[in-house]
Amino acid sequence: MDQATSLRKMISGQGVQRRPLASLTSEGQPRVIAVTSGKGGVGKTNLTASLARAFAEMGKEVLIVDADLGLANMDILFGIRPPFHIGHVLNGEKSLEEVLVSPSERIRILPAGSGTSELTQLTEGQKLTLLGEFEALDLAADVVLVDTGAGISKNVLYFNLAADECLLVATAEPTSITDAYAMMKVMSVEHGARHFKLLVNMVSSVKEAKQVFLTLNQAAGRFLDGVVLEYAGHVSQDPLLRKSVQERKTVLTAYPQAECSKQIRNLAKVLLKSPRRHDGEGNIKLFMKRFVALSPG
């Protein structure tokens, strides 16, 4: 049974009230994209921040949900130090509106806590608190980027399943490929997920990137019934990426003409042009409702 699809049908029939958003995609609703990976160290958070910058350059309003709840570092890439984070919302100290930060025009971030282990496994009460905050606050956005943690913890899986699209980030390292396959396997076999997009990061050539995709696509086709893996693109290994992190900037800001910056801009265009998997269900509140409704089994 496709649990995620069933939840979407259930929730969409609840008559959720929607206010016209200030800025919308041509489809009429924001795209909610989970950026995820099977293992850490593949450049997922850096990619998410750079994608946000690329969308903003295209005139899109972007909301980043830092969903790496115990090991947040999105703030580093924007050179900011948020005074509050999602933990302050969950314990009732602050509202969602008070916690959101805007490091630059058209980009807002919901910061996560760093070194806060209790956030790595949200309780049902905490998820309901977060849903209530999203219900109370109307957020205008064209694109919502959910930067998940790495691996297959409950939080990571639920954020991936609740989003409209899942962008899986992998490198050419065998461990990364293996863990990316494990992510697809758990999401498909245990939760009925069928569609994934693959971004191959930190590669030396297009050939290397296509080989990673071919390996994963063949494994999925052979062992995962009905799973569709789409090639979204690649980002080259570039010392300017590391340098931009040291400067506490996205690479698009620090080095806009770098080859990797051009590739990330192209990825943003590909994501916006790709057909939606769930037409008309990109509402941010519906994303949170799906996240809250998901539970083991």
Side-chain angles (χ1 to χ4, degrees), residues 115-155:
T116 313
S117 60
E118 61 267 23
L119 293 180
T120 59
Q121 296 292 338
L122 297 185
T123 66
E124 293 304 307
Q126 287 175 320
K127 291 198 290 185
L128 288 170
T129 296
L130 195 56
L131 172 61
E133 286 292 328
F134 271 89
E135 289 282 6
L137 181 65
D138 281 317
L139 294 171
D142 295 298
V143 181
V144 180
L145 295 173
V146 184
D147 180 34
T148 78
I152 54 175
S153 70
K154 291 178 182 178
N155 278 351

Coordinates of all heavy atoms in Angstrom, one line a residue, residues 115-155:
G115 N 23.7 20.2 18.0 CA 24.0 19.6 19.2 C 22.9 19.4 20.2 O 23.1 19.3 21.4
T116 N 21.7 19.3 19.6 CA 20.5 19.1 20.4 C 19.9 17.8 20.1 O 19.0 17.6 19.2 CB 19.4 20.2 20.1 OG1 20.1 21.5 20.1 CG2 18.3 20.3 21.1
S117 N 20.3 16.7 20.8 CA 20.0 15.4 20.5 C 18.5 15.1 20.6 O 17.9 14.2 19.9 CB 20.8 14.4 21.4 OG 20.4 14.6 22.7
E118 N 17.8 15.8 21.5 CA 16.3 15.5 21.7 C 15.5 15.8 20.4 O 14.4 15.4 20.3 CB 15.8 16.2 22.9 CG 15.9 17.7 22.9 CD 17.1 18.2 23.5 OE1 18.1 17.5 23.6 OE2 17.1 19.4 23.9
L119 N 16.1 16.6 19.5 CA 15.3 17.0 18.3 C 15.4 15.9 17.3 O 14.7 16.0 16.3 CB 15.8 18.3 17.8 CG 15.6 19.6 18.6 CD1 16.2 20.8 17.9 CD2 14.1 19.8 18.9
T120 N 16.3 14.9 17.4 CA 16.5 14.0 16.4 C 15.3 13.0 16.3 O 15.2 12.3 15.2 CB 17.8 13.2 16.6 OG1 17.7 12.5 17.9 CG2 19.0 14.1 16.5
Q121 N 14.5 12.9 17.3 CA 13.3 12.0 17.3 C 12.1 12.8 17.8 O 11.9 12.8 19.0 CB 13.6 10.7 18.1 CG 14.6 9.8 17.6 CD 14.3 9.2 16.2 OE1 13.1 9.1 15.9 NE2 15.3 8.8 15.5
L122 N 11.4 13.4 16.9 CA 10.3 14.3 17.4 C 9.2 13.4 17.9 O 8.8 12.4 17.3 CB 9.8 15.1 16.2 CG 10.7 16.2 15.7 CD1 10.0 17.0 14.6 CD2 11.3 17.1 16.7
T123 N 8.5 13.8 19.0 CA 7.4 13.1 19.5 C 6.1 13.6 18.7 O 6.2 14.5 18.0 CB 7.2 13.5 21.0 OG1 6.8 14.9 21.1 CG2 8.4 13.2 21.8
E124 N 5.0 12.8 18.9 CA 3.8 13.2 18.2 C 3.3 14.6 18.7 O 2.8 15.4 17.9 CB 2.7 12.1 18.5 CG 3.0 10.8 17.9 CD 3.2 10.8 16.4 OE1 2.4 11.4 15.7 OE2 4.3 10.4 16.0
G125 N 3.5 14.9 20.0 CA 3.1 16.2 20.5 C 4.0 17.3 19.8 O 3.4 18.4 19.5
Q126 N 5.3 17.1 19.7 CA 6.1 18.1 19.0 C 5.7 18.3 17.6 O 5.7 19.4 17.1 CB 7.6 17.7 19.1 CG 8.2 17.8 20.5 CD 9.6 17.3 20.6 OE1 9.9 16.2 20.0 NE2 10.4 18.0 21.4
K127 N 5.4 17.2 16.9 CA 5.0 17.4 15.5 C 3.7 18.2 15.4 O 3.5 19.0 14.5 CB 4.9 16.0 14.8 CG 6.2 15.3 14.6 CD 6.1 14.2 13.6 CE 5.4 13.0 14.1 NZ 5.4 11.9 13.1
L128 N 2.8 17.9 16.3 CA 1.5 18.6 16.3 C 1.7 20.1 16.6 O 1.0 21.0 16.1 CB 0.5 18.0 17.3 CG -0.1 16.6 16.9 CD1 -0.8 16.0 18.1 CD2 -1.0 16.8 15.7
T129 N 2.6 20.4 17.5 CA 3.0 21.8 17.8 C 3.5 22.5 16.6 O 3.1 23.6 16.3 CB 4.0 21.9 18.9 OG1 3.5 21.3 20.2 CG2 4.5 23.3 19.2
L130 N 4.4 21.8 15.9 CA 4.9 22.4 14.7 C 3.8 22.6 13.6 O 3.8 23.7 12.9 CB 6.0 21.5 14.1 CG 6.9 22.1 13.1 CD1 7.6 23.4 13.6 CD2 8.0 21.1 12.6
L131 N 2.9 21.7 13.5 CA 1.8 21.8 12.5 C 0.9 23.0 12.9 O 0.5 23.8 12.1 CB 1.0 20.5 12.6 CG -0.4 20.6 11.8 CD1 -0.1 20.9 10.3 CD2 -1.2 19.3 11.9
G132 N 0.7 23.2 14.2 CA -0.1 24.3 14.7 C 0.5 25.7 14.3 O -0.2 26.6 13.9
E133 N 1.8 25.7 14.4 CA 2.5 27.0 14.1 C 2.4 27.3 12.6 O 2.3 28.4 12.2 CB 4.0 26.9 14.5 CG 4.2 27.0 16.0 CD 3.9 28.4 16.5 OE1 4.1 29.3 15.8 OE2 3.5 28.5 17.7
F134 N 2.6 26.2 11.8 CA 2.4 26.4 10.3 C 1.0 26.8 10.0 O 0.8 27.6 9.0 CB 2.8 25.2 9.6 CG 4.3 25.1 9.2 CD1 5.2 24.6 10.1 CD2 4.8 25.6 8.0 CE1 6.6 24.5 9.8 CE2 6.1 25.6 7.7 CZ 7.0 25.1 8.6
E135 N 0.0 26.3 10.7 CA -1.4 26.6 10.4 C -1.6 28.1 10.8 O -2.4 28.8 10.1 CB -2.3 25.8 11.3 CG -2.4 24.3 10.8 CD -3.3 24.1 9.6 OE1 -3.7 25.1 9.0 OE2 -3.5 23.0 9.2
A136 N -1.0 28.6 11.8 CA -1.2 30.0 12.2 C -0.5 31.0 11.4 O -0.8 32.2 11.5 CB -0.8 30.1 13.7
L137 N 0.5 30.6 10.6 CA 1.3 31.5 9.9 C 1.2 31.3 8.4 O 1.5 30.2 7.9 CB 2.8 31.4 10.3 CG 3.8 32.4 9.6 CD1 3.5 33.8 10.0 CD2 5.2 32.0 10.0
D138 N 0.8 32.3 7.6 CA 0.7 32.1 6.2 C 2.1 32.5 5.6 O 2.5 33.6 5.7 CB -0.4 33.1 5.6 CG -1.8 32.5 5.8 OD1 -1.9 31.3 5.5 OD2 -2.7 33.3 6.2
L139 N 2.7 31.5 4.9 CA 4.0 31.7 4.3 C 3.9 31.7 2.8 O 3.4 30.8 2.2 CB 4.9 30.5 4.8 CG 5.3 30.4 6.2 CD1 6.0 29.2 6.5 CD2 6.2 31.6 6.6
A140 N 4.3 32.8 2.2 CA 4.4 32.9 0.8 C 5.7 32.3 0.3 O 6.8 32.8 0.7 CB 4.2 34.3 0.3
A141 N 5.6 31.3 -0.6 CA 6.9 30.8 -1.1 C 6.6 30.1 -2.4 O 5.5 29.5 -2.6 CB 7.5 29.7 -0.1
D142 N 7.5 30.2 -3.3 CA 7.4 29.4 -4.6 C 8.1 28.1 -4.4 O 7.6 27.1 -5.0 CB 8.2 30.2 -5.7 CG 7.6 31.5 -6.0 OD1 6.4 31.5 -6.5 OD2 8.2 32.6 -5.9
V143 N 9.1 28.0 -3.7 CA 9.9 26.7 -3.5 C 10.2 26.6 -2.0 O 10.6 27.5 -1.3 CB 11.2 26.7 -4.3 CG1 11.9 25.4 -4.1 CG2 10.9 27.0 -5.7
V144 N 9.9 25.4 -1.5 CA 10.3 25.0 -0.1 C 11.3 23.9 -0.2 O 11.1 22.9 -0.8 CB 9.1 24.5 0.7 CG1 9.5 24.2 2.1 CG2 8.0 25.6 0.8
L145 N 12.5 24.2 0.3 CA 13.6 23.2 0.3 C 13.8 22.7 1.7 O 14.0 23.4 2.6 CB 14.9 23.9 -0.2 CG 14.9 24.4 -1.6 CD1 16.2 25.1 -1.9 CD2 14.8 23.2 -2.6
V146 N 13.6 21.4 1.8 CA 13.7 20.7 3.1 C 15.1 20.0 3.2 O 15.3 19.0 2.5 CB 12.6 19.7 3.3 CG1 12.7 19.1 4.7 CG2 11.2 20.3 3.1
D147 N 16.0 20.5 3.9 CA 17.3 19.9 4.0 C 17.3 18.9 5.2 O 17.3 19.2 6.3 CB 18.4 21.0 4.4 CG 19.8 20.5 4.5 OD1 20.1 19.5 3.8 OD2 20.5 21.0 5.3
T148 N 17.2 17.6 4.8 CA 17.0 16.6 5.8 C 18.4 16.2 6.4 O 19.4 16.6 5.8 CB 16.3 15.3 5.2 OG1 17.3 14.6 4.4 CG2 15.2 15.7 4.3
G149 N 18.3 15.4 7.4 CA 19.6 14.8 7.9 C 19.9 13.7 6.9 O 19.2 13.3 6.0
A150 N 21.1 13.1 7.1 CA 21.5 11.9 6.3 C 21.0 10.6 7.0 O 20.8 10.6 8.2 CB 23.0 11.9 6.2
G151 N 20.9 9.6 6.2 CA 20.5 8.3 6.7 C 19.0 8.0 6.7 O 18.2 8.7 6.0
I152 N 18.6 7.0 7.4 CA 17.2 6.5 7.3 C 16.5 6.6 8.7 O 15.7 5.7 9.0 CB 17.1 5.1 6.7 CG1 18.0 4.1 7.5 CG2 17.5 5.2 5.2 CD1 17.9 2.7 7.0
S153 N 16.8 7.6 9.5 CA 16.1 7.8 10.7 C 14.6 8.1 10.4 O 14.2 8.5 9.3 CB 16.7 8.9 11.6 OG 16.4 10.2 11.0
K154 N 13.7 8.0 11.5 CA 12.3 8.3 11.3 C 12.1 9.7 10.8 O 11.3 10.0 9.9 CB 11.6 8.1 12.6 CG 11.5 6.6 13.0 CD 10.8 6.5 14.3 CE 10.7 5.0 14.8 NZ 10.1 4.9 16.1
N155 N 12.8 10.7 11.4 CA 12.6 12.1 11.0 C 12.9 12.3 9.5 O 12.2 12.9 8.7 CB 13.5 13.0 11.8 CG 12.8 13.4 13.1 OD1 11.7 13.1 13.4 ND2 13.6 14.0 14.0

